[in-house]
Amino acid sequence: KNLLVLVFTLLLTGKNTSTSAQWTSLQTGTVENIFNISFPDVATGYLVTVNGHLRKSTDGGQSWTFLPTPQPVLDVGFVTDNMGFAACDSGILKTDDGGMTWSKFINNNCIYENIFIYDSLVIVTGEKRTWDSIFVARSIDYGVTWQETALYYDIFPIWGLTFLSADTAGYVAVQLSDK
């Protein structure tokens, strides 16, 4: 039994300004729940399972191939078909060959949970292993340098983030603690 990815397709009809939306179910080749998904273009996609396994599609999600990683992945984002980053339990991984090989890019005492990429902008969220704060780290040069911003300790966890462009404000979905 395979889990499905639902693909949302927006169909523009001729010169008419009306639009229609359609969801299509696709087989993923895994029985694991899907935790995150990223498509850097219409053909190439990556999905992360709840167990940290990574799969890649090069045909718009019609078929998926398992990609080995040195550690379980929590989220993945790609700048191009080849250059990508993976948020992991103890660091950030980077690939320059479409996920065939991964190298430890950042290795510190943090758990990285979410990743967002827009052109050269790479944003990750995570939490310190001391469990006293969460943070957002930002790079505007493909991860060469980073600027970290600590967030309040009573916001936990960060469920997701998105930005409209590299120059605008972003949105972070969080769960507030009972404190």
Side-chain angles (χ1 to χ4, degrees), residues 138-160:
R138 176 179 186 257
S139 172
I140 58 171
D141 53 12
Y142 301 107
V144 175
T145 59
W146 293 88
Q147 179 183 28
E148 186 177 302
T149 302
L151 299 177
Y152 298 106
Y153 69 91
D154 59 347
I155 299 175
F156 180 81
I158 295 177
W159 290 106

PDB file of all heavy atoms in Angstrom, residues 138-160:
ATOM      1  N   ARG A 138      19.372  32.866   8.637  1.00  0.00           N
ATOM      2  CA  ARG A 138      19.179  33.378   7.277  1.00  0.00           C
ATOM      3  C   ARG A 138      20.523  33.539   6.584  1.00  0.00           C
ATOM      4  O   ARG A 138      21.478  34.045   7.169  1.00  0.00           O
ATOM      5  CB  ARG A 138      18.474  34.722   7.361  1.00  0.00           C
ATOM      6  CG  ARG A 138      18.271  35.433   6.066  1.00  0.00           C
ATOM      7  CD  ARG A 138      17.534  36.754   6.335  1.00  0.00           C
ATOM      8  NE  ARG A 138      17.186  37.435   5.139  1.00  0.00           N
ATOM      9  CZ  ARG A 138      17.836  38.497   4.663  1.00  0.00           C
ATOM     10  NH1 ARG A 138      18.853  39.000   5.320  1.00  0.00           N
ATOM     11  NH2 ARG A 138      17.449  39.070   3.550  1.00  0.00           N
ATOM     12  N   SER A 139      20.570  33.093   5.336  1.00  0.00           N
ATOM     13  CA  SER A 139      21.738  33.296   4.487  1.00  0.00           C
ATOM     14  C   SER A 139      21.265  33.889   3.170  1.00  0.00           C
ATOM     15  O   SER A 139      20.264  33.442   2.606  1.00  0.00           O
ATOM     16  CB  SER A 139      22.446  31.967   4.211  1.00  0.00           C
ATOM     17  OG  SER A 139      23.463  32.154   3.248  1.00  0.00           O
ATOM     18  N   ILE A 140      21.989  34.890   2.674  1.00  0.00           N
ATOM     19  CA  ILE A 140      21.630  35.487   1.380  1.00  0.00           C
ATOM     20  C   ILE A 140      22.647  35.126   0.301  1.00  0.00           C
ATOM     21  O   ILE A 140      22.579  35.635  -0.799  1.00  0.00           O
ATOM     22  CB  ILE A 140      21.486  37.020   1.492  1.00  0.00           C
ATOM     23  CG1 ILE A 140      22.768  37.653   2.008  1.00  0.00           C
ATOM     24  CG2 ILE A 140      20.296  37.383   2.358  1.00  0.00           C
ATOM     25  CD1 ILE A 140      22.770  39.170   1.948  1.00  0.00           C
ATOM     26  N   ASP A 141      23.569  34.213   0.640  1.00  0.00           N
ATOM     27  CA  ASP A 141      24.620  33.832  -0.308  1.00  0.00           C
ATOM     28  C   ASP A 141      24.763  32.306  -0.418  1.00  0.00           C
ATOM     29  O   ASP A 141      25.856  31.776  -0.366  1.00  0.00           O
ATOM     30  CB  ASP A 141      25.943  34.485   0.079  1.00  0.00           C
ATOM     31  CG  ASP A 141      26.340  34.227   1.521  1.00  0.00           C
ATOM     32  OD1 ASP A 141      25.722  33.361   2.175  1.00  0.00           O
ATOM     33  OD2 ASP A 141      27.275  34.891   1.998  1.00  0.00           O
ATOM     34  N   TYR A 142      23.634  31.634  -0.564  1.00  0.00           N
ATOM     35  CA  TYR A 142      23.594  30.169  -0.711  1.00  0.00           C
ATOM     36  C   TYR A 142      24.201  29.438   0.482  1.00  0.00           C
ATOM     37  O   TYR A 142      24.753  28.365   0.342  1.00  0.00           O
ATOM     38  CB  TYR A 142      24.294  29.716  -1.992  1.00  0.00           C
ATOM     39  CG  TYR A 142      23.705  30.290  -3.247  1.00  0.00           C
ATOM     40  CD1 TYR A 142      24.381  31.280  -3.959  1.00  0.00           C
ATOM     41  CD2 TYR A 142      22.482  29.854  -3.727  1.00  0.00           C
ATOM     42  CE1 TYR A 142      23.846  31.801  -5.122  1.00  0.00           C
ATOM     43  CE2 TYR A 142      21.941  30.379  -4.893  1.00  0.00           C
ATOM     44  CZ  TYR A 142      22.632  31.347  -5.584  1.00  0.00           C
ATOM     45  OH  TYR A 142      22.098  31.873  -6.734  1.00  0.00           O
ATOM     46  N   GLY A 143      24.121  30.014   1.655  1.00  0.00           N
ATOM     47  CA  GLY A 143      24.592  29.339   2.854  1.00  0.00           C
ATOM     48  C   GLY A 143      26.049  29.552   3.194  1.00  0.00           C
ATOM     49  O   GLY A 143      26.571  28.917   4.104  1.00  0.00           O
ATOM     50  N   VAL A 144      26.730  30.464   2.512  1.00  0.00           N
ATOM     51  CA  VAL A 144      28.136  30.728   2.826  1.00  0.00           C
ATOM     52  C   VAL A 144      28.254  31.415   4.181  1.00  0.00           C
ATOM     53  O   VAL A 144      29.063  31.031   5.018  1.00  0.00           O
ATOM     54  CB  VAL A 144      28.811  31.575   1.719  1.00  0.00           C
ATOM     55  CG1 VAL A 144      30.234  31.946   2.103  1.00  0.00           C
ATOM     56  CG2 VAL A 144      28.784  30.816   0.397  1.00  0.00           C
ATOM     57  N   THR A 145      27.417  32.433   4.429  1.00  0.00           N
ATOM     58  CA  THR A 145      27.392  33.104   5.725  1.00  0.00           C
ATOM     59  C   THR A 145      25.956  33.081   6.244  1.00  0.00           C
ATOM     60  O   THR A 145      24.996  33.026   5.471  1.00  0.00           O
ATOM     61  CB  THR A 145      27.876  34.569   5.621  1.00  0.00           C
ATOM     62  OG1 THR A 145      27.023  35.276   4.709  1.00  0.00           O
ATOM     63  CG2 THR A 145      29.314  34.632   5.146  1.00  0.00           C
ATOM     64  N   TRP A 146      25.831  33.136   7.579  1.00  0.00           N
ATOM     65  CA  TRP A 146      24.525  33.025   8.219  1.00  0.00           C
ATOM     66  C   TRP A 146      24.332  34.118   9.257  1.00  0.00           C
ATOM     67  O   TRP A 146      25.283  34.515   9.926  1.00  0.00           O
ATOM     68  CB  TRP A 146      24.383  31.673   8.919  1.00  0.00           C
ATOM     69  CG  TRP A 146      24.347  30.531   7.970  1.00  0.00           C
ATOM     70  CD1 TRP A 146      25.423  29.846   7.477  1.00  0.00           C
ATOM     71  CD2 TRP A 146      23.202  29.953   7.373  1.00  0.00           C
ATOM     72  NE1 TRP A 146      25.005  28.872   6.619  1.00  0.00           N
ATOM     73  CE2 TRP A 146      23.650  28.904   6.537  1.00  0.00           C
ATOM     74  CE3 TRP A 146      21.839  30.192   7.472  1.00  0.00           C
ATOM     75  CZ2 TRP A 146      22.764  28.117   5.795  1.00  0.00           C
ATOM     76  CZ3 TRP A 146      20.964  29.409   6.739  1.00  0.00           C
ATOM     77  CH2 TRP A 146      21.433  28.388   5.908  1.00  0.00           C
ATOM     78  N   GLN A 147      23.091  34.574   9.402  1.00  0.00           N
ATOM     79  CA  GLN A 147      22.699  35.492  10.463  1.00  0.00           C
ATOM     80  C   GLN A 147      21.561  34.816  11.225  1.00  0.00           C
ATOM     81  O   GLN A 147      20.558  34.418  10.629  1.00  0.00           O
ATOM     82  CB  GLN A 147      22.233  36.820   9.884  1.00  0.00           C
ATOM     83  CG  GLN A 147      21.801  37.808  10.924  1.00  0.00           C
ATOM     84  CD  GLN A 147      21.282  39.083  10.279  1.00  0.00           C
ATOM     85  OE1 GLN A 147      20.786  39.087   9.168  1.00  0.00           O
ATOM     86  NE2 GLN A 147      21.398  40.173  11.017  1.00  0.00           N
ATOM     87  N   GLU A 148      21.722  34.686  12.528  1.00  0.00           N
ATOM     88  CA  GLU A 148      20.748  33.966  13.342  1.00  0.00           C
ATOM     89  C   GLU A 148      19.970  34.932  14.220  1.00  0.00           C
ATOM     90  O   GLU A 148      20.536  35.859  14.792  1.00  0.00           O
ATOM     91  CB  GLU A 148      21.468  32.941  14.209  1.00  0.00           C
ATOM     92  CG  GLU A 148      20.551  32.045  14.992  1.00  0.00           C
ATOM     93  CD  GLU A 148      21.329  30.998  15.776  1.00  0.00           C
ATOM     94  OE1 GLU A 148      22.079  30.231  15.157  1.00  0.00           O
ATOM     95  OE2 GLU A 148      21.175  30.976  17.013  1.00  0.00           O
ATOM     96  N   THR A 149      18.665  34.702  14.331  1.00  0.00           N
ATOM     97  CA  THR A 149      17.795  35.486  15.195  1.00  0.00           C
ATOM     98  C   THR A 149      17.117  34.543  16.169  1.00  0.00           C
ATOM     99  O   THR A 149      16.433  33.603  15.745  1.00  0.00           O
ATOM    100  CB  THR A 149      16.728  36.235  14.379  1.00  0.00           C
ATOM    101  OG1 THR A 149      17.387  37.076  13.433  1.00  0.00           O
ATOM    102  CG2 THR A 149      15.841  37.065  15.277  1.00  0.00           C
ATOM    103  N   ALA A 150      17.298  34.778  17.462  1.00  0.00           N
ATOM    104  CA  ALA A 150      16.636  33.961  18.476  1.00  0.00           C
ATOM    105  C   ALA A 150      15.199  34.426  18.640  1.00  0.00           C
ATOM    106  O   ALA A 150      14.905  35.618  18.570  1.00  0.00           O
ATOM    107  CB  ALA A 150      17.379  34.045  19.799  1.00  0.00           C
ATOM    108  N   LEU A 151      14.308  33.475  18.851  1.00  0.00           N
ATOM    109  CA  LEU A 151      12.909  33.782  19.110  1.00  0.00           C
ATOM    110  C   LEU A 151      12.597  33.465  20.560  1.00  0.00           C
ATOM    111  O   LEU A 151      13.387  32.845  21.259  1.00  0.00           O
ATOM    112  CB  LEU A 151      12.011  32.979  18.182  1.00  0.00           C
ATOM    113  CG  LEU A 151      12.209  33.241  16.684  1.00  0.00           C
ATOM    114  CD1 LEU A 151      11.323  32.325  15.870  1.00  0.00           C
ATOM    115  CD2 LEU A 151      11.915  34.689  16.348  1.00  0.00           C
ATOM    116  N   TYR A 152      11.445  33.839  20.998  1.00  0.00           N
ATOM    117  CA  TYR A 152      11.064  33.612  22.384  1.00  0.00           C
ATOM    118  C   TYR A 152      11.085  32.135  22.728  1.00  0.00           C
ATOM    119  O   TYR A 152      10.722  31.292  21.923  1.00  0.00           O
ATOM    120  CB  TYR A 152       9.673  34.184  22.642  1.00  0.00           C
ATOM    121  CG  TYR A 152       9.602  35.663  22.426  1.00  0.00           C
ATOM    122  CD1 TYR A 152       8.978  36.176  21.307  1.00  0.00           C
ATOM    123  CD2 TYR A 152      10.187  36.543  23.317  1.00  0.00           C
ATOM    124  CE1 TYR A 152       8.916  37.541  21.088  1.00  0.00           C
ATOM    125  CE2 TYR A 152      10.131  37.906  23.119  1.00  0.00           C
ATOM    126  CZ  TYR A 152       9.497  38.396  22.000  1.00  0.00           C
ATOM    127  OH  TYR A 152       9.452  39.745  21.794  1.00  0.00           O
ATOM    128  N   TYR A 153      11.458  31.828  23.932  1.00  0.00           N
ATOM    129  CA  TYR A 153      11.565  30.435  24.359  1.00  0.00           C
ATOM    130  C   TYR A 153      10.207  29.776  24.535  1.00  0.00           C
ATOM    131  O   TYR A 153      10.096  28.568  24.557  1.00  0.00           O
ATOM    132  CB  TYR A 153      12.367  30.336  25.662  1.00  0.00           C
ATOM    133  CG  TYR A 153      11.661  30.906  26.867  1.00  0.00           C
ATOM    134  CD1 TYR A 153      10.861  30.108  27.665  1.00  0.00           C
ATOM    135  CD2 TYR A 153      11.780  32.257  27.163  1.00  0.00           C
ATOM    136  CE1 TYR A 153      10.200  30.648  28.759  1.00  0.00           C
ATOM    137  CE2 TYR A 153      11.119  32.799  28.251  1.00  0.00           C
ATOM    138  CZ  TYR A 153      10.337  31.995  29.043  1.00  0.00           C
ATOM    139  OH  TYR A 153       9.672  32.520  30.107  1.00  0.00           O
ATOM    140  N   ASP A 154       9.138  30.548  24.663  1.00  0.00           N
ATOM    141  CA  ASP A 154       7.836  29.928  24.880  1.00  0.00           C
ATOM    142  C   ASP A 154       7.056  29.692  23.582  1.00  0.00           C
ATOM    143  O   ASP A 154       5.896  29.345  23.605  1.00  0.00           O
ATOM    144  CB  ASP A 154       6.995  30.732  25.868  1.00  0.00           C
ATOM    145  CG  ASP A 154       6.746  32.149  25.418  1.00  0.00           C
ATOM    146  OD1 ASP A 154       7.413  32.596  24.472  1.00  0.00           O
ATOM    147  OD2 ASP A 154       5.888  32.801  26.012  1.00  0.00           O
ATOM    148  N   ILE A 155       7.711  29.887  22.454  1.00  0.00           N
ATOM    149  CA  ILE A 155       7.128  29.525  21.164  1.00  0.00           C
ATOM    150  C   ILE A 155       7.747  28.199  20.759  1.00  0.00           C
ATOM    151  O   ILE A 155       8.950  28.097  20.580  1.00  0.00           O
ATOM    152  CB  ILE A 155       7.435  30.583  20.084  1.00  0.00           C
ATOM    153  CG1 ILE A 155       6.862  31.929  20.476  1.00  0.00           C
ATOM    154  CG2 ILE A 155       6.924  30.126  18.739  1.00  0.00           C
ATOM    155  CD1 ILE A 155       7.236  33.039  19.511  1.00  0.00           C
ATOM    156  N   PHE A 156       6.916  27.182  20.647  1.00  0.00           N
ATOM    157  CA  PHE A 156       7.462  25.875  20.315  1.00  0.00           C
ATOM    158  C   PHE A 156       6.357  25.000  19.758  1.00  0.00           C
ATOM    159  O   PHE A 156       5.290  24.940  20.340  1.00  0.00           O
ATOM    160  CB  PHE A 156       8.048  25.231  21.573  1.00  0.00           C
ATOM    161  CG  PHE A 156       8.634  23.877  21.346  1.00  0.00           C
ATOM    162  CD1 PHE A 156       9.900  23.758  20.831  1.00  0.00           C
ATOM    163  CD2 PHE A 156       7.901  22.735  21.613  1.00  0.00           C
ATOM    164  CE1 PHE A 156      10.454  22.511  20.621  1.00  0.00           C
ATOM    165  CE2 PHE A 156       8.443  21.489  21.401  1.00  0.00           C
ATOM    166  CZ  PHE A 156       9.721  21.378  20.902  1.00  0.00           C
ATOM    167  N   PRO A 157       6.509  24.308  18.744  1.00  0.00           N
ATOM    168  CA  PRO A 157       7.587  24.387  17.758  1.00  0.00           C
ATOM    169  C   PRO A 157       7.215  25.322  16.612  1.00  0.00           C
ATOM    170  O   PRO A 157       6.106  25.847  16.569  1.00  0.00           O
ATOM    171  CB  PRO A 157       7.673  22.949  17.258  1.00  0.00           C
ATOM    172  CG  PRO A 157       6.265  22.472  17.305  1.00  0.00           C
ATOM    173  CD  PRO A 157       5.649  23.157  18.517  1.00  0.00           C
ATOM    174  N   ILE A 158       8.136  25.481  15.674  1.00  0.00           N
ATOM    175  CA  ILE A 158       7.844  26.191  14.430  1.00  0.00           C
ATOM    176  C   ILE A 158       7.340  25.142  13.450  1.00  0.00           C
ATOM    177  O   ILE A 158       8.030  24.177  13.149  1.00  0.00           O
ATOM    178  CB  ILE A 158       9.093  26.909  13.877  1.00  0.00           C
ATOM    179  CG1 ILE A 158       9.530  28.012  14.839  1.00  0.00           C
ATOM    180  CG2 ILE A 158       8.814  27.465  12.488  1.00  0.00           C
ATOM    181  CD1 ILE A 158      10.791  28.724  14.436  1.00  0.00           C
ATOM    182  N   TRP A 159       6.135  25.312  12.960  1.00  0.00           N
ATOM    183  CA  TRP A 159       5.528  24.319  12.077  1.00  0.00           C
ATOM    184  C   TRP A 159       5.844  24.573  10.614  1.00  0.00           C
ATOM    185  O   TRP A 159       5.828  23.655   9.810  1.00  0.00           O
ATOM    186  CB  TRP A 159       4.021  24.295  12.279  1.00  0.00           C
ATOM    187  CG  TRP A 159       3.647  23.730  13.603  1.00  0.00           C
ATOM    188  CD1 TRP A 159       3.191  24.424  14.687  1.00  0.00           C
ATOM    189  CD2 TRP A 159       3.723  22.369  14.022  1.00  0.00           C
ATOM    190  NE1 TRP A 159       2.974  23.583  15.744  1.00  0.00           N
ATOM    191  CE2 TRP A 159       3.290  22.302  15.356  1.00  0.00           C
ATOM    192  CE3 TRP A 159       4.117  21.193  13.399  1.00  0.00           C
ATOM    193  CZ2 TRP A 159       3.232  21.116  16.071  1.00  0.00           C
ATOM    194  CZ3 TRP A 159       4.054  20.003  14.112  1.00  0.00           C
ATOM    195  CH2 TRP A 159       3.614  19.977  15.431  1.00  0.00           C
ATOM    196  N   GLY A 160       6.085  25.808  10.234  1.00  0.00           N
ATOM    197  CA  GLY A 160       6.368  26.096   8.826  1.00  0.00           C
ATOM    198  C   GLY A 160       6.705  27.552   8.636  1.00  0.00           C
ATOM    199  O   GLY A 160       6.497  28.376   9.528  1.00  0.00           O
TER     200      GLY A 160
END
